[in-house]
């Protein structure tokens, strides 16, 4: 950074730290990646830097941006260098046309006043540059757009507003709330990839479940995927997290999709291009629903195992949280006690007994496993 400061001064390039990192620094929150706006050619600056410091460089010439990454105490740190730019939207929800410009233009193209704060990179301390009164909104805990068309130009900002509101515990400023409502139909014009970009971030944050409640309250979920997020789901999701700490995104998505019909859930999951394990989990969820009546009667260990073994443990755990105590108890017993047990009989044993390999192997092995588990349950009644 010191090198960058000297080099920029030498080249008479004005550089500013901008956006989320200034916001988070002022809120005394952990600062993530740093965005640096350059009134000039950001790519040339990044290239000059990496000739002196051999850090990783990625350039994006159509946008005049570059990312420099390096390891700091084992963690990967990134700095985005952005050529100050003006943006215009050829049509609502389309990608913007970019022209190089001054810092003021660059700040004016942004989403919310709290993200339009800048600090000049200089040798001596400077004041925060705040052309849109973001400091006042930061103090008052308000999310405010810069102009009336903001959500129409870029409807993904609706999802960003949710993310910041949940994360920072901020509120929408009243006229921004109205504009957001007017912007909702434009979500339909936005490509699913861009929507998922933001939605995936939202569902991965610690405040994801809160964001989903807000999304329900603001009508975003209804517009986005035709479903709701009832308050009860918040509690269920929170209870699941300690056992599935790395599965927050899958938990949120499965519970959300459980509000839809099987076909609609599959269609939404496909539309947003979710990863294969989640797509399969959504399919399994609805297949599991057809077993609910059976699971609501007490099953023998062998039958329970036979019924549940086709399903992934993640789906079983999340689905169980939406079911009766008896179903929950049987699924927990299956996952903890039965599933880890290896089958005593294998295909090789059947071959050794002189049974010709064929379709009946499956039946014989399943029946043997059922007997084995029933015996296990009889010998370990305290585990049931
Ligand atoms: N931005 C925007 N409209 C968008 C996306 C981004 O105006 N649809 C602007 C915002 O000013 C934002 C900056 O680009 O501050 C950088 O984007 P990003 O890194 O996504 O935002 P951060 O505020 O840094 O978010 P986070 O704290 O989650 O990293």
């Amino acid at each position: 950074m010191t090198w960058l400061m000297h080099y920029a001064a030498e080249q008479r390039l004005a550089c500013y730290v901008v956006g989320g990192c200034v916001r988070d620094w002022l809120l005394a929150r952990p600062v993530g990646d740093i965005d640096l706006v350059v009134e000039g050619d950001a790519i040339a600056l990044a290239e000059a830097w990496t000739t002196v410091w051999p850090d990783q460089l990625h350039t994006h010439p159509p946008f005049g941006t570059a990312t420099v990454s390096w390891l700091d105490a084992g963690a990967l740190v990134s700095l985005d260098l952005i050529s100050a730019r003006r943006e215009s939207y050829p049509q609502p929800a389309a990608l913007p046309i970019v022209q190089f410009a001054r810092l003021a233009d660059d700040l004016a193209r942004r989403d919310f006043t709290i993200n339009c704060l800048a600090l000049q990179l200089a040798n001596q301390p400077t004041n925060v540059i705040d052309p849109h009164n973001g400091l006042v909104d930061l103090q008052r805990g308000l999310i405010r757009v810069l102009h009336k068309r903001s959500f129409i130009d870029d409807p993904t900002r609706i999802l960003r507003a949710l993310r910041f509101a949940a994360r920072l515990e901020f509120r929408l400023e009243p006229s921004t709330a109205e504009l957001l409502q007017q912007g909702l139909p434009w979500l339909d014009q936005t490509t699913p990839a861009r929507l998922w970009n933001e939605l995936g971030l939202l569902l991965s944050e610690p405040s994801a479940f809160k964001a989903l409640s807000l999304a329900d309250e603001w009508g975003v979920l209804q517009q986005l995927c035709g479903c709701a997020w009832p308050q009860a789901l918040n509690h269920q999701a929170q209870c699941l997290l300690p056992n599935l700490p790395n599965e927050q995104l899958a938990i949120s998505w499965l519970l959300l999709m459980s509000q839809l019909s099987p076909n609609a859930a599959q269609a939404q999951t496909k539309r947003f291009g979710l990863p294969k394990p989640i797509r399969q989990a959504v399919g399994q969820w609805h297949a599991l629903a057809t077993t609910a009546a059976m699971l609501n009667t007490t099953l023998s260990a062998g039958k329970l195992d036979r019924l549940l073994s086709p399903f992934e443990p993640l789906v079983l755990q999340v689905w169980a949280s939406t079911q009766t105590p008896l179903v929950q108890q049987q699924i927990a017993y299956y996952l903890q006690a039965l599933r880890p047990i290896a089958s005593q009989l294998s295909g090789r044993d059947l071959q050794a007994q002189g049974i010709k390999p064929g379709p009946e192997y499956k039946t014989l092995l399943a029946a043997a496993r059922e007997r084995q588990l029933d015996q296990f349950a009889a010998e370990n009644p305290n585990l049931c």
Side-chain angles (χ1 to χ4, degrees), residues 9-192:
E10 206 177 278
Q11 301 289 314
R12 297 180 179 278
L13 273 179
C15 294
Y16 306 86
V17 178
V18 172
C21 51
V22 181
R23 176 199 68 218
D24 291 339
W25 174 67
L26 289 166
L27 289 172
R29 293 178 61 90
V31 172
D33 292 343
I34 298 171
D35 289 345
L36 197 78
V37 167
V38 184
E39 282 183 335
D41 189 344
I43 294 183
L45 178 60
E47 282 169 351
W49 176 350
T50 48
T51 50
V52 181
W53 308 95
D55 294 321
Q56 257 184 49
L57 171 68
H58 293 284
T59 59
H60 321 281
F63 296 103
T65 60
T67 305
V68 180
S69 318
W70 66 94
L71 279 175
D72 184 20
L76 191 71
V77 182
S78 287
L79 178 77
D80 285 329
L81 292 100
I82 304 146
S83 305
R85 64 194 203 227
R86 182 183 296 134
E87 286 178 349
S88 54
Y89 291 83
Q91 67 226 25
L95 286 173
I97 295 168
V98 172
Q99 280 175 298
F100 296 121
R102 307 296 304 267
L103 174 74
D105 302 302
D106 195 281
L107 295 180
R109 73 177 169 87
R110 290 171 182 259
D111 50 4
F112 309 119
T113 59
I114 56 167
N115 289 340
C116 295
L117 302 164
L119 269 174
Q120 182 155 18
L121 207 62
N123 287 325
Q124 65 275 30
T126 54
N127 287 333
V128 175
I129 301 166
D130 177 23
H132 302 282
N133 293 323
L135 285 175
V136 177
D137 288 339
L138 207 58
Q139 269 168 357
R140 293 189 184 156
L142 290 179
I143 295 173
R144 184 194 305 268
V145 283
L146 305 197
H147 58 89
K148 284 188 172 163
R149 287 189 57 84
S150 189
F151 290 122
I152 295 176
D153 284 343
D154 181 354
T156 67
R157 288 177 175 165
I158 293 174
L159 301 174
R160 292 174 64 81
L162 276 170
R163 186 151 63 88
F164 293 124
R167 185 206 289 174
L168 305 174
E169 304 203 339
F170 276 25
R171 285 170 296 123
L172 287 180
E173 169 277 326
S175 59
T176 298
E178 269 177 45
L179 293 169
L180 186 143
Q181 289 303 314
Q182 292 162 19
L184 286 179
W186 295 97
L187 284 169
D188 298 347
Q189 310 299 316
T190 313
T191 62

Side-chain angles (χ1 to χ4, degrees), residues 164-319:
F164 293 124
R167 185 206 289 174
L168 305 174
E169 304 203 339
F170 276 25
R171 285 170 296 123
L172 287 180
E173 169 277 326
S175 59
T176 298
E178 269 177 45
L179 293 169
L180 186 143
Q181 289 303 314
Q182 292 162 19
L184 286 179
W186 295 97
L187 284 169
D188 298 347
Q189 310 299 316
T190 313
T191 62
R194 288 184 66 205
L195 291 173
W196 178 252
N197 225 3
E198 280 299 336
L199 200 54
L201 287 176
L202 183 150
L203 297 180
S204 307
E205 295 218 353
S207 52
F209 305 140
K210 189 159 181 231
L212 283 167
S213 291
L214 284 178
D216 188 39
E217 202 181 297
W218 297 358
V220 178
L221 283 181
Q222 197 54 42
Q223 185 75 39
L224 204 59
C225 41
C227 62
W229 180 266
Q231 275 305 319
L233 286 189
N234 260 355
H235 178 68
Q236 268 162 17
Q238 289 294 0
C239 292
L240 283 162
L241 260 193
N243 286 334
L244 299 164
N246 301 318
E247 302 291 356
Q248 180 176 302
L249 192 139
I251 294 173
S252 324
W253 190 256
L254 285 173
L255 290 176
L256 194 57
M257 291 299 102
S258 73
Q259 306 299 302
L260 292 174
S261 71
N263 285 346
Q266 292 282 15
Q268 291 296 345
T269 308
K270 202 167 158 207
R271 167 184 170 224
F272 287 117
L274 267 87
K276 201 170 167 198
I278 300 191
R279 285 206 312 270
Q280 284 172 341
V282 171
Q284 289 201 352
W285 180 286
H286 291 288
L288 246 184
T290 61
T291 69
M294 265 184 277
L295 283 165
N296 263 309
T297 57
T298 305
L299 295 173
S300 70
K303 291 222 161 32
L304 197 56
D305 180 80
R306 198 189 269 237
L307 188 66
L308 298 181
S309 60
F311 299 102
E312 286 297 320
L314 169 71
V315 187
L316 287 173
Q317 287 180 77
V318 182
W319 183 75

Side-chain angles (χ1 to χ4, degrees), residues 342-368:
S343 295
Q344 280 164 349
L345 192 74
S346 70
R348 207 172 280 176
D349 297 326
L350 293 180
Q351 245 176 323
Q353 288 171 25
I355 304 171
K356 249 184 146 184
E360 73 272 32
Y361 263 43
K362 201 174 162 201
T363 321
L364 289 172
L365 290 173

Side-chain angles (χ1 to χ4, degrees), residues 320-351:
S321 76
T322 65
Q323 300 300 309
T324 61
L326 176 61
V327 175
Q328 289 183 13
Q329 192 190 323
Q330 298 208 82
I331 290 182
Y333 176 53
Y334 164 73
L335 287 172
Q336 286 156 24
L338 306 180
R339 193 179 164 93
I341 297 176
S343 295
Q344 280 164 349
L345 192 74
S346 70
R348 207 172 280 176
D349 297 326
L350 293 180
Q351 245 176 323

